[in-house]
Amino acid sequence: MHPHQGNGALREGPAGGQSDVFDPDAVVTARALSKRFGDFTAVDAVSFSIRKGEVFGFLGPNGAGKTSTMRMVSCLSPVTEGTLRVLGLDPNHDGPAIRRRLGLVPQDDTLDLELTVRDNLYLYGRYFDIDKREVRARVENLLEFAQLLEKGDEAVDKLSGGMKRRLTIARALISNPELVILDEPTTGLDPQARHLLWDRLYRLKQQGVTLVITTHYMDEAEQLCDRLVVMDKGRIVAAGSPRELIAEFATREVAELRFGVDENEKMADRLQGVAGRVEVLPDRLLVYTDDGDAVLQQVHELGLHAEAEFVRRSSLEDVFLRLTGRSLAD
Amino acid sequence: MASVTAVAPNTRRVPGFVRPYRYFLLRYRRTWRGTLTSSILYPLLYLLAMGVGLGHLVNSHLATHGGSARLGGVGYVQFIAPGLLVASAMQWGANESMYPVMGGLKWLKTYHALLATPVQVKDLVHGHLAWVATRVGGSSAVFLVVVAAFGYLVSPFAPLALFVAILTGLAFAAPVAAFTSTQDNDSALALMYRLGLVPLFLFSGTFFPIGQLPGWLQVAARLTPLYHGVALSRGLMLGHVSVVDELGHVGYLVGMMVIGLVWMRRSFTRRLVV
């Protein structure tokens, strides 16, 4: 059993108490929300509440149900069970009205590759019935925001992955949305492109836009999210701010030890009781502790010599490992 | 909280189908050059090769055997022009509903981008068909103008053939788009073209009166949709109009379009709203 399955995520606290249903600041509220495809349950009775102006994250491995949840919140996918309110409206009845006020950055860019960067932005604005002149002005602003001014008249086909992603984000902003949903915004991008994108997202947050982000990168979640839920197999297994989650489910530091092939398991037994909780990964051991250097000291005193060893601070990766017994990257 | 019907500043609400229509229109404005051969040149090449080249043989044969009544008393070019118009309309309508639809659904996923905005599936379906009507109408108008320039349009009803072409294009576009949306890849589309559209093109009375076919094939030809489009357009362009017959033809094509539209809305919803 996971310690915080199902209703566990509903416990009182900053992450989402029951009273959130009546929270006037809630932009999105989900109660026991489920999505099934035939016999397969993609989202299993999740509850969460997203406040105005915050960056809210859904962290989990591929197949955890993040995208299905996002598609329901974006009114693209019908709710199977449970209640969902987005911007105070019911997606079952008010889909078009909600989507008018929402910006979506889907996992696939869904850009028209044969049209230019400008055309893609312009058309998207016209889907929202914005006046031609107004759209043209917004397109230029967004090209600047996305650092694509020089690429404006190029076919999208010619852009790099990072540029396409920035264009997709710019596109989602053309209607001045109150809520922007980003499904895996930086998957597949190189570190430089990711940092540029994060910077743009910070700017949006500063402008008061509510951001909802799914990611399977724990560093992205830590960098960007005010609060997040950890999802696994369609359920929310924990909820809180990155700092709260690390404090609750991990220790301050982690000592990483790499022994030889097949040695890790054996060494784990010898380390039990010596230090804090020990996790065995295929290629290394993780020892959870408040003082990593002291653990390394103790390991040396036992006469054990790792091929590689270092101490780092705990991260959301460790939270996920603790909650699911698996690493996020799996 | 803003009310559901509030209109944001700088926006003007339009009928739903207009939004996707804007996409198809702009896309066409950027890529129209590539479509000229199939939409303008091919039908005219057919008219030239068959009508003038083959037509010379046909006309002299019928003249010596006294059989020009079999073509309704007109020359071969005039006989096939209405057929070619409608057979081309069928192809234009179907073509717009095969690979472009697969692209929107799967390859480029541009339909998904549309549906992330206030656009709904029914808007997309109606916008697609409105766009098909525009494309077929435009190409058909060019064809008719060329035929008229050669002096082959004599009947006062001839301009109505434009609407027959649009109706035929839509009658094919709707079910073809619906079928495309049930497919995971394009292999069945090529098959539909070869086994469906090409035989229709050849055997629906486009190039010869179906009275030339063996009896059972005549019956089969009369059941196919293109035959009705061809008969309707030929009647109008040659001035042999029989109201009862024409109503039957129109009814067939409208029925096919409506059934296609209903199917299309259902299958697009099933494909896109999951």
Side-chain angles (χ1 to χ4, degrees):
Chain A
M1 257 319 264
H2 305 315
H4 288 276
Q5 255 182 1
N7 288 335
L10 280 176
R11 71 200 188 285
E12 296 300 323
Q18 294 280 14
S19 62
D20 279 345
V21 178
F22 308 104
D23 185 350
D25 282 341
V27 176
V28 182
T29 312
R31 286 278 158 256
L33 182 66
S34 293
K35 180 75 195 181
R36 281 189 287 277
F37 301 99
D39 290 338
F40 174 69
T41 303
V43 179
D44 191 1
V46 301
S47 300
F48 56 87
S49 174
I50 300 169
R51 292 185 206 130
K52 198 168 163 44
E54 74 176 341
V55 181
F56 193 92
F58 287 80
L59 178 68
N62 293 328
K66 307 187 300 288
T67 296
S68 294
T69 307
M70 288 310 100
R71 285 178 53 78
M72 286 191 280
V73 173
S74 330
C75 311
L76 295 177
S77 173
V79 170
T80 308
E81 220 170 74
T83 57
L84 179 64
R85 289 289 173 278
V86 183
L87 299 164
L89 302 172
D90 181 352
N92 279 339
H93 303 107
D94 306 318
I98 295 171
R99 292 200 300 266
R100 189 170 283 282
R101 296 162 59 192
L102 179 141
L104 177 69
V105 177
Q107 224 173 93
D108 302 314
D109 286 320
T110 69
L111 296 160
D112 192 316
L113 303 179
E114 290 172 51
L115 295 181
T116 65
V117 170
R118 270 199 178 81
D119 281 345
N120 267 278
L121 288 174
Y122 173 79
L123 269 172
Y124 208 73
R126 297 289 282 152
Y127 298 160
F128 288 86
D129 303 334
I130 306 164
D131 290 347
K132 285 183 191 176
R133 273 178 57 189
E134 174 69 16
V135 180
R136 289 208 183 95
R138 289 189 195 179
V139 165
E140 296 312 306
N141 284 337
L142 286 170
L143 284 176
E144 200 184 338
F145 172 84
Q147 301 191 339
L148 289 170
L149 262 178
E150 294 105 76
K151 299 285 177 184
D153 293 322
E154 291 218 22
V156 171
D157 214 7
K158 301 218 173 82
L159 301 187
S160 70
M163 289 177 186
K164 280 185 195 152
R165 219 56 195 134
R166 295 208 299 278
L167 174 58
T168 306
I169 292 174
R171 186 182 67 173
L173 300 176
I174 195 112
S175 56
N176 292 333
E178 298 156 57
L179 169 66
V180 179
I181 293 171
L182 302 109
D183 197 359
E184 311 242 348
T186 66
T187 295
L189 300 188
D190 60 52
Q192 202 186 345
R194 294 178 74 201
H195 282 282
L196 179 56
L197 237 151
W198 287 352
D199 170 66
R200 301 292 115 170
L201 297 179
Y202 278 129
R203 284 167 199 239
L204 280 181
K205 186 194 157 151
Q206 275 168 0
Q207 291 165 23
V209 179
T210 309
L211 299 177
V212 181
I213 294 175
T214 77
T215 181
H216 59 257
Y217 296 123
M218 49 92 188
D219 55 338
E220 184 159 280
E222 277 181 44
Q223 288 266 343
L224 291 175
C225 297
D226 299 312
R227 296 188 307 145
L228 57 95
V229 293
V230 180
M231 281 191 86
D232 185 43
K233 294 176 181 158
R235 291 172 161 269
I236 290 177
V237 292
S241 71
R243 188 185 294 218
E244 284 166 356
L245 286 170
I246 291 167
E248 187 171 352
F249 296 105
T251 49
R252 209 170 73 84
E253 292 186 336
V254 185
E256 293 212 6
L257 297 160
R258 210 176 286 257
F259 293 99
V261 181
D262 300 330
E263 291 286 301
N264 289 323
E265 195 88 30
K266 222 183 296 170
M267 292 302 173
D269 292 337
R270 296 194 56 184
L271 288 174
Q272 292 298 351
V274 171
R277 187 167 59 85
V278 181
E279 285 279 356
V280 186
L281 296 183
D283 59 337
R284 61 198 195 276
L285 293 180
L286 306 179
V287 184
Y288 289 93
T289 174
D290 284 330
D291 186 347
D293 287 326
V295 167
L296 293 187
Q297 186 74 38
Q298 282 173 289
V299 170
H300 296 158
E301 281 164 11
L302 281 171
L304 304 177
H305 294 286
E307 287 173 6
E309 55 180 38
F310 69 93
V311 175
R312 60 168 174 82
R313 296 190 56 163
S314 286
S315 71
L316 286 173
E317 178 84 45
D318 302 298
V319 171
F320 189 80
L321 189 64
R322 171 74 190 276
L323 288 169
T324 67
R326 285 174 297 118
S327 138
L328 257 174
D330 285 352
Chain B
M1 189 62 60
S3 87
V4 176
T5 51
V7 177
N10 298 313
T11 68
R12 195 177 59 204
R13 290 295 175 87
V14 294
F17 79 88
V18 173
R19 299 176 198 132
Y21 187 87
R22 284 173 178 149
Y23 167 63
F24 300 128
L25 185 66
L26 183 82
R27 196 158 208 286
Y28 186 69
R29 278 169 54 194
R30 300 287 187 258
T31 58
W32 61 274
R33 286 172 196 85
T35 68
L36 285 186
T37 44
S38 67
S39 61
I40 308 286
L41 201 59
Y42 281 173
L44 295 176
L45 284 180
Y46 263 104
L47 196 66
L48 191 71
M50 308 294 256
V52 181
L54 183 63
H56 191 68
L57 278 177
V58 173
N59 290 341
S60 54
H61 174 81
L62 290 178
T64 51
H65 293 77
S68 74
R70 283 199 221 161
L71 294 183
V74 296
Y76 191 61
V77 185
Q78 278 157 292
F79 177 80
I80 65 166
L84 267 177
L85 170 68
V86 174
S88 302
M90 167 187 81
Q91 296 205 29
W92 295 325
N95 282 340
E96 281 292 320
S97 302
M98 296 199 291
Y99 297 91
V101 167
M102 195 53 104
L105 287 168
K106 186 174 174 181
W107 295 328
L108 290 171
K109 291 195 159 73
T110 43
Y111 287 176
H112 298 263
L114 267 160
L115 296 176
T117 72
V119 174
Q120 303 180 61
V121 172
K122 64 171 194 240
D123 302 331
L124 171 61
V125 167
H126 298 163
H128 176 80
L129 293 178
W131 173 245
V132 168
T134 309
R135 282 276 282 126
V136 174
S139 301
S140 301
V142 172
F143 182 87
L144 282 169
V145 166
V146 173
V147 173
F150 282 101
Y152 294 131
L153 282 194
V154 285
S155 157
F157 299 111
L160 292 177
L162 179 66
F163 299 100
V164 177
I166 294 173
L167 177 59
T168 308
L170 291 176
F172 279 92
V176 168
F179 175 74
T180 301
S181 72
T182 64
Q183 297 299 302
D184 251 352
N185 58 59
D186 59 342
S187 57
L189 299 185
L191 209 62
M192 174 175 66
Y193 193 86
R194 287 183 207 129
L195 299 182
L197 299 182
V198 172
L200 285 180
F201 183 69
L202 294 173
F203 293 98
S204 297
T206 313
F207 298 108
F208 51 84
I210 62 164
Q212 301 295 309
L213 293 168
W216 65 274
L217 257 181
Q218 280 187 42
V219 175
R222 274 177 209 283
L223 293 174
T224 65
L226 186 59
Y227 162 78
H228 294 275
V230 170
L232 192 52
S233 125
R234 185 165 288 143
L236 291 167
M237 282 173 73
L238 301 184
H240 308 307
V241 179
S242 137
V243 176
V244 177
D245 285 356
E246 315 311 10
L247 282 179
H249 298 318
V250 171
Y252 187 111
L253 293 170
V254 169
M256 179 168 164
M257 182 183 73
V258 170
I259 291 168
L261 174 64
V262 172
W263 182 21
M264 196 178 162
R265 282 176 62 158
R266 280 193 192 161
S267 64
F268 268 51
T269 303
R270 200 170 300 145
R271 176 76 178 249
L272 290 163
V273 183
V274 287

